[in-house]
Amino acid sequence: MEELTLRQQAGDRRFASVVQLLETDRGERLVRFAYSTGGSARRGPVTLRERDMARLRAVLAKHPALAEALGW
């Protein structure tokens, strides 16, 4: 339903965290966190620094349904 990408860097590694709002056939909303390297979404732990969280909140202003699903 909605998706946002938050670009990040750790040392010389560049990647992005992806936050997606999904909806099941029954209308239940789900939020998926993933990370992406080279355009391919991958499962695994997603780590956000405090400054990344601040940027995430700012980007969520353009994604109201996703912000609502996160309780923000």
Side-chain angles (χ1 to χ4, degrees):
M1 294 180 57
E2 282 191 7
E3 176 178 301
L4 67 85
T5 302
L6 188 64
R7 302 205 183 285
Q8 295 176 273
Q9 182 174 344
D12 61 346
R13 296 184 337 209
R14 295 178 190 270
F15 55 97
S17 289
V18 180
V19 183
Q20 300 171 316
L21 177 61
L22 310 172
E23 188 171 80
T24 67
D25 293 340
R26 296 181 188 169
E28 180 182 13
R29 288 186 167 191
L30 310 169
V31 178
R32 176 189 298 165
F33 289 86
Y35 71 94
S36 172
T37 57
S40 299
R42 303 180 188 282
R43 286 193 258 170
V46 174
T47 303
L48 300 173
R49 292 181 176 93
E50 189 173 340
R51 68 178 181 249
D52 297 327
M53 291 299 295
R55 289 178 42 231
L56 175 60
R57 283 185 183 264
V59 172
L60 282 171
K62 297 177 184 175
H63 300 273
L66 191 49
E68 181 182 341
L70 289 168
W72 292 351

